[in-house]
Amino acid sequence: MKDRDIIAVLHNVRSVHNVGSIFRTADAAGVKKVYCAGITPAPLDRFGRPRADLAKVALGAEKNVAWEAARSTAALLARLRKDGYALLALEQDKHSIPYDKIPVAIRRRKLCLVLGDEVRGLPRSLLARADRVLEIPMRGKKESLNVAVAFGIAAYALTNN
């Protein structure tokens, strides 16, 4: 199978454990890079020391997956769009489509999966920048999944198509 050029942007994901889990899944799924944007904790703290709590969950994946911290998610997304990435926001929205129904023309491009914080998700200002807003259909009583679980579902769907 050909390696896909897929990256992820985590916007204000607050839980260091969710971030560690996302790094571990990114490594397993073949995601090339993770951007820790806004207040998302990165594998290294502000003093350049490894975060033990993130590493405990990531199990070393934070050393295998390229990553970069970014202050402004909006500026980062503008740069990634200029670099040719299709921006795919993962969020429940009136304009969302099922995560497995991405048009072929977009699937052929370099892909950037954008996820938001655990409580509020992605703000409208970032959703407006996306080429598509993707949604994982909920069939039970709960209206959403944990951000790390949602990332895993979407990342595998994107890397396997």
Side-chain angles (χ1 to χ4, degrees):
M1 177 188 341
K2 176 183 161 253
D3 270 353
R4 299 289 316 265
D5 194 351
I6 298 174
I7 60 173
V9 171
L10 310 181
H11 171 72
N12 290 345
V13 174
R14 296 175 178 275
S15 167
V16 70
H17 297 111
N18 280 336
V19 175
S21 182
I22 288 170
F23 266 91
R24 187 170 173 188
T25 302
D27 184 41
V31 172
K32 304 288 186 206
K33 189 170 188 174
V34 173
Y35 289 88
C36 299
I39 63 166
T40 303
L44 300 179
D45 68 17
R46 64 186 178 151
F47 302 109
R49 297 178 302 216
R51 288 185 190 270
D53 46 0
L54 188 148
K56 181 178 181 181
V57 178
L59 294 177
E62 76 283 7
K63 297 174 185 170
N64 300 334
V65 177
W67 64 273
E68 185 178 322
R71 276 193 185 287
S72 169
T73 305
L76 172 62
L77 294 179
R79 179 171 54 115
L80 294 172
R81 178 180 300 288
K82 194 180 261 189
D83 289 344
Y85 282 92
L87 306 177
L88 303 174
L90 189 59
E91 185 64 69
Q92 294 172 330
D93 184 75
K94 63 182 176 183
H95 301 293
S96 64
I97 62 171
Y99 72 99
D100 57 350
K101 303 291 187 214
I102 302 167
V104 173
I106 290 178
R107 284 188 176 279
R108 291 187 178 135
R109 295 175 57 193
K110 299 186 295 184
L111 302 176
C112 174
L113 185 59
V114 185
L115 293 99
D117 80 66
E118 295 88 341
V119 177
R120 291 179 301 274
L122 288 166
R124 290 250 158 254
S125 62
L126 295 181
L127 289 176
R129 296 173 184 272
D131 292 290
R132 290 291 189 279
V133 179
L134 308 180
E135 179 176 324
I136 299 170
M138 298 288 108
R139 293 182 171 78
K141 301 231 185 288
K142 296 305 293 178
E143 61 185 46
S144 67
L145 294 168
N146 170 279
V147 66
V149 172
F151 171 78
I153 291 168
Y156 270 93
L158 294 175
T159 57
N160 288 322
N161 287 309

